[in-house]
Amino acid sequence: MSLQRHWANRLARTISKMFGGEAAGGILLIVVAIAAMLAANSPLQHTYHDLFHDRLAWTPIPKLDTLHLWINDGLMAVFFFVVGLEIKREVLDGELSDAKRRRLPVLAAAAGMMVPALVYLTIAGTGQPMQRGWAIPAATDIAFAVGVLALLGKRVPASLRLFLLTVAIVDDLGAVAIIAVFYTAGIKLAWGLGGLGFLATLIAANRFGFHRYWLFLVLGIGMWFCVLYSGIHATVAGVLAAFCVPLTVTRGDSMLLRLEHALVPWNSFVIVPLFGFANAGVALAGIGFDGLFDPIPLGVLLGLFIGKQVGIFAAIFASDRIGFAPRPEGASWAQLWGMAVLCGIGFTMSLFIGALAFPRYPLLIEEAKLGVLAGSLLSSVLGYAVLRFASRPAKLPA
């Protein structure tokens, strides 16, 4: 069946037409988040919880014995696989392939991860287990942020959209590294070596030109299975497998580009919304809106809403002023501030890291979710407002 006739692609085109192109992904996530909150705070709350957390009657992989685990450890591996494909394409043949062009987005992304982490630690403290949530506000949700940006149409210069995408991609790479390094409790050596064996075989298949989809699929699933049982989070396998997929055009075709094109609709309109619905539902009965002022949700909220915009905007401003790298062409300082605010939309990756940070503390996971949702909401509203009313490009006074 051709890609054009694939139902996931048809769904993507239908939703895009309904909500306006690139804005569709972001709008769908808003709808999903609202639906999850309603379900978690209604008479359906027990049904909602049981649906995702009750043990399955049967599962082919004993470690994945709930629907929630299949989504977070299984489907999200596909999400990270697509992220890996995007990162590899950008590094080898995109905005990150040129040293001069990648200076500013890499610097902005790094500052946009460090400052939110510092804000979080300042508020939540460095004691355990609160300290483990430092990375929650460090991530940006590409679909959400680009969706809000798309609602503004031609009010926003193309250079600003491209810069936001590049920063978010570098941000994703940083988040993957954080998950692999800081949220791995212990590694089971035999399973880890098995994963390395599959990875080495994938690299060899690429190196020696064995470009068969079925081969990469089998080897990728094998590596994911080994990583799942190794103690390293299974989604890391998705990124590593993506890095092994050939980008080189052979006979007018590129495996990486075809896979990315085929999987992006699944990511945007099936996997991420399903993950959002399964993870964004916060039961307020045990927390309440007053709970936003507890250390963890407040640290996450301010990390996303304040830390992100301060870190990214300060990096752009300082870089431009000292001549390290100029700001995006055609974008005013007000527009750059609005873009920096939008980077405070965490959602998918922040919710994901929140679940990894407090695996033994369900209440803290719920509090972290509340902070993610509140920080993302404030960032989307303020970011949209700033960009909506931003003036045309103008220079700061000398």
Side-chain angles (χ1 to χ4, degrees):
M1 183 179 292
S2 71
L3 290 175
Q4 294 301 318
R5 295 177 60 190
H6 201 288
W7 75 266
N9 293 73
R10 295 201 304 270
L11 176 64
R13 290 197 300 272
T14 300
I15 297 177
S16 295
K17 289 179 181 178
M18 289 173 59
F19 295 119
E22 287 184 323
I27 293 174
L28 182 58
L29 289 183
I30 294 173
V31 173
V32 164
I34 293 173
M37 287 294 292
L38 291 175
N41 295 277
S42 73
L44 296 173
Q45 59 180 308
H46 296 298
T47 303
Y48 171 79
H49 181 272
D50 294 346
L51 171 65
F52 293 110
H53 296 281
D54 273 5
R55 287 180 177 272
L56 299 171
W58 178 84
T59 175
I61 300 177
K63 191 178 177 78
L64 305 182
D65 59 358
T66 68
L67 183 57
H68 188 265
L69 287 174
W70 271 104
I71 292 170
N72 284 33
D73 290 1
L75 287 181
M76 286 302 285
V78 180
F79 166 82
F80 279 92
F81 179 74
V82 177
V83 168
L85 294 177
E86 293 174 344
I87 291 171
K88 180 171 182 177
R89 174 176 50 78
E90 287 293 332
V91 169
L92 296 182
D93 194 35
E95 287 299 305
L96 297 175
S97 62
D98 182 85
K100 291 183 179 179
R101 287 190 297 176
R102 65 173 172 251
R103 283 181 183 175
L104 186 57
V106 169
L107 177 65
M113 298 184 82
M114 289 187 291
V115 177
L118 291 174
V119 170
Y120 172 88
L121 290 173
T122 300
I123 296 171
T126 56
Q128 293 293 349
M130 283 77 76
Q131 178 265 345
R132 285 182 55 81
W134 65 271
I136 298 173
T140 295
D141 190 288
I142 296 180
F144 226 134
V146 171
V148 174
L149 204 64
L151 293 173
L152 295 157
K154 295 182 179 180
R155 290 179 177 272
V156 178
S159 61
L160 197 66
R161 176 191 174 279
L162 183 60
F163 185 74
L164 172 62
L165 279 171
T166 310
V167 169
I169 288 171
V170 176
D171 191 291
D172 279 347
L173 181 59
V176 171
I178 287 171
I179 291 170
V181 175
F182 295 100
Y183 294 107
T184 297
I187 299 176
K188 296 178 180 177
L189 185 59
W191 285 108
L193 290 175
L196 285 175
F198 278 108
L199 177 61
T201 308
L202 278 166
I203 294 172
N206 184 347
R207 175 70 175 171
F208 295 107
F210 295 101
H211 299 170
R212 298 292 184 270
Y213 289 93
W214 66 265
L215 178 61
F216 280 82
L217 176 64
V218 170
L219 293 174
I221 291 176
M223 181 170 66
W224 167 80
F225 185 80
C226 288
V227 172
L228 175 67
Y229 278 92
S230 71
I232 303 170
H233 200 274
T235 52
V236 174
V239 177
L240 294 177
F243 288 169
C244 298
V245 174
L247 174 62
T248 306
V249 176
T250 305
R251 297 175 184 174
D253 192 16
S254 168
M255 181 184 291
L256 187 148
L257 296 178
R258 282 184 63 84
L259 283 174
E260 185 178 358
H261 178 70
L263 291 174
V264 162
W266 287 93
N267 239 17
S268 301
F269 300 106
V270 179
I271 295 173
V272 171
L274 185 57
F275 169 84
F277 185 67
N279 289 273
V282 182
L284 297 174
I287 304 175
F289 285 107
D290 291 343
L292 270 175
F293 297 98
D294 289 344
I296 287 178
L298 186 61
V300 172
L301 187 162
L302 295 181
L304 287 170
F305 184 59
I306 302 297
K308 272 289 185 183
Q309 59 174 296
V310 169
I312 292 175
F313 186 79
I316 296 172
F317 180 76
S319 178
D320 183 78
R321 280 307 174 94
I322 66 175
F324 178 74
R327 71 179 192 261
E329 186 177 354
S332 69
W333 286 108
Q335 288 171 330
L336 287 168
W337 174 42
M339 183 275 302
V341 176
L342 284 185
C343 287
I345 302 175
F347 202 71
T348 306
M349 199 72 82
S350 293
L351 290 174
F352 189 79
I353 294 175
L356 295 179
F358 309 113
R360 299 179 182 177
Y361 304 92
L363 180 60
L364 298 188
I365 293 177
E366 296 299 297
E367 288 190 341
K369 288 180 183 179
L370 189 60
V372 170
L373 294 173
S376 298
L377 176 62
L378 289 174
S379 297
S380 59
V381 172
L382 179 62
Y384 178 86
V386 170
L387 289 169
R388 174 70 174 76
F389 298 106
S391 60
R392 299 303 299 169
K395 295 183 179 180
L396 284 178

